[in-house]
Structures are given as C-alpha cells and as structure tokens.
Amino acid sequence: MVHSESDPPLLDHYGTLFSCHSTQCDEPRSRVTMEECQLPLIDLCGLASDDETVRRACAAAICKASSEWGFFQVVNHGISPQLVEKMRSEQVKLFQAPFETKARSGLLNNSYRWGSPRATCLDQFSWSEAFHVPLTKVSDEACYGEFTSLREVMTCFAAAMSELSRLLARILTENLGHGKQALIDSICNETTCFLRLNHYPACPISPEITGLVPHTDSDFLTILCQDQVGGLQLMKDSEWVTVKPNKDALIVNIGDLFQAWSNDVYKSVEHKVVTNATMERYSIAYFLCPYYDSSIESFVKPSVYRRFTFREYRDQVQEDVRKTGYKVGLPRFLLKGSEENTRLYTRSIMTKS
C-alpha cells in the first residue's frame, strides 16, 4: 500500500496493531449496521418567523430531536455556502501539505495529531489526522506559517459556528426552564471552545479499522460540517445507523455536559466514523465547551448525576482512556438510585414540549 508524502505513516507506525485480531480487545464493537438514514432535519428559518407558533414549533423540533436522537441536521443555519466551500478548500490544502510540515512546524498552535498513541488493539485505533485548535488561537497570525490564506477564512468560519452553537444552546437550555437560559453564555466563550479539522485518508486495509473510534463528545454540543463522502455512524436503538450526507446541512449532536445538565432529557449518543477503502473524507467540528472550573449539575433535584466540574470530568475521561483504552464518561458520575428519577423527569419535559 503506497501513501503520498502528505499522509501520516499510519500503517508503518501502527502496523503491529493490524495483526491483532479485534476480539483480543476487552470490548469489541458491534458490526451490525442499519441502512443509511436521514437524521431529523430542521429548517432554522422558523426561528426568525414573525409567527410565534412557527418559532415555537422550530424550537420544539430541536429539543425533540435532542431527546430522541441526540443528533439532528440544520439547514438555513446562517453560514453561507461560499464560506463553507472556502473553508473546505483551505482545509484540503492544509492536509495536503507534507506530513513532516504538519508534524514538525507547530502549525495551528502545534495542535496536529494523528493515529492513536495509546491504542493496544484495533478497537482503540483511529485511522485519521486532525488539528484541534483552541478558538483563542484561530486569529493568531503566528499559528499559520505558510498557510496565510487559511487564517481569514478560518476566523470567519469559527465565528459563524460559535454564533450558531450559542443560538442552539440557548434554545435547549430555555426548554429546560428554571431561568437558566443566560447561563450558557456566561460559562462558554472563545477561551473555552475548539475547532477541529479532520482528515480521514482512504483505508483499503480492512473494514475493521475505524476513522474515529466509538465515543461520545465531552462538551455541551458539537456542530459538524462534513463533505459528501459519508462515514458518520451513530448508535440508535442499540444498532449503528449510517448517516446520509446532506450538502446543505450541518449536523448537531448533544454532548455529555448537556445530558448531565438536563438530567438525561437530552442524549449524548455514541458515534464513530468508518473508513472508506477508496475515498478520503474531510470534516470540521466545533465544540461548545465551558470554563474548566465550571460546575456541571442538573437544573432539578433529585439529580441523575453528582455535581462535577468540567476539569474533573476531562481528567476522569483521560485517566480512563490511559488505563483502559476506552472512555467511560457520564456513568462515572451517576448517583445511586437515579434511573427512575430520570425517567419521570424526561416524561414531564417531553409532555411540556
């Protein structure tokens, strides 16, 4: 198998993993995959309608999808097709740079990552490369090196994604009541959020290799802008669902922090990226995160989860991955006897919506 000089040396560096059969892992993943399907599709034009009934219906659709799927798509989201196309073009140019340039030159706050350094078997390995950039560094001219045209486009794109994320977060928070809808703006800003540029090279080796391992997101919510190659899958009714790409839509998914904040009303759903044998895939994800010392707890009592800080949560996730190779996430923070409480509260919220 021959790679271009721009691709990371995944096979050369991690070759021993590929001879390890996936059943040697403690938690082999399911290979059952449903037919390709369409996520709930929401037209955000409804939020700007002069008709209050239309505005309420649009907000209710967002909250319903967040509860039933944990994922949804949005169109007429305010980010122009021209900006999306420019950002995608600049992203491709960046990843087409020689591997040594990406790995050694400190680009984008030295945020380049590839493969899975802690993986001990295929179920823990991601066939991908990425730049995980703090928003505070997006406008920093020193971060871009020779990629000067990327800076202006990426700054505009990050600002647009940030505005959209806050709009959606306020709607989701307001639906929960308790007068907390302004809180999301006070604990999330450009010093706490991230933009991640992803590239999944073609992988003809084996369908067992994932582009991104199954996981949930450790944030409030994520907005994804992807190309038309496809590969995103999510867990729905205990089966993997393949998400059909929509060129006009952005994908939104609920993160762990919103699930905890909402007392399990909103669902942070496990998802992954499968590789493609012949085609590479590009995507950009925006992560809405709070300050590290922000306290995360349910709006109502009794709570499903104990109170924790975002720093504590991240530290626990990293410790679990370091020790076991897997993220555990929210189950680490469950309070005893919380299952019945969350069922009752979820039922009351959905009735109100």
Side-chain angles (χ1 to χ4, degrees), residues 51 70-71 87 143 173 193-194 210-211 215 246 257 331 344 347 353:
D51 188 333
F71 271 77
M87 185 65 224
C143 288
T173 306
C193 301
F194 295 84
T210 56
H215 67 286
N246 181 333
L257 303 187
L344 292 173
R347 188 178 304 125
S353 299

Side-chain angles (χ1 to χ4, degrees), residues 230-352:
L232 176 64
Q233 295 184 348
L234 61 93
M235 187 63 73
K236 175 68 172 169
D237 299 327
S238 301
E239 294 187 322
W240 286 110
V241 174
T242 299
V243 177
K244 183 177 182 179
N246 181 333
K247 64 181 180 63
D248 299 316
L250 298 175
I251 293 175
V252 182
N253 68 275
I254 298 299
D256 298 341
L257 303 187
F258 241 140
Q259 177 165 327
W261 225 20
S262 70
N263 231 24
D264 279 356
V265 171
Y266 305 139
K267 302 300 189 293
S268 180
V269 174
E270 190 176 29
H271 53 285
K272 65 180 178 179
V273 175
V274 297
T275 53
N276 189 295
T278 60
M279 301 177 68
E280 59 186 345
R281 176 180 184 266
Y282 292 92
S283 69
I284 308 170
Y286 180 93
F287 299 94
L288 182 67
C289 302
Y291 291 109
Y292 285 129
D293 293 326
S294 298
S295 180
I296 306 299
E297 60 180 326
S298 170
F299 291 146
V300 296
K301 300 294 182 289
S303 177
V304 177
Y305 305 96
R306 70 172 178 83
R307 185 173 66 177
F308 56 88
T309 65
F310 183 41
R311 186 187 306 277
E312 182 183 3
Y313 190 75
R314 281 174 55 90
D315 288 347
Q316 183 65 62
V317 167
Q318 291 170 1
E319 181 181 352
D320 287 334
V321 171
R322 185 170 58 252
K323 288 182 176 180
T324 70
Y326 299 96
K327 173 184 173 179
V328 178
L330 284 177
R332 288 284 192 202
F333 297 85
L334 277 169
L335 288 171
K336 185 176 180 181
S338 61
E339 293 183 3
E340 180 60 23
N341 295 329
T342 187
R343 280 196 295 269
L344 292 173
Y345 182 62
T346 300
R347 188 178 304 125
S348 69
I349 287 290
M350 294 312 297
T351 300
K352 181 185 73 172

Side-chain angles (χ1 to χ4, degrees), residues 143-154:
C143 288
Y144 288 86
E146 65 188 86
F147 299 93
T148 54
S149 59
L150 172 61
R151 178 172 172 261
E152 181 180 356
V153 177
M154 191 162 163

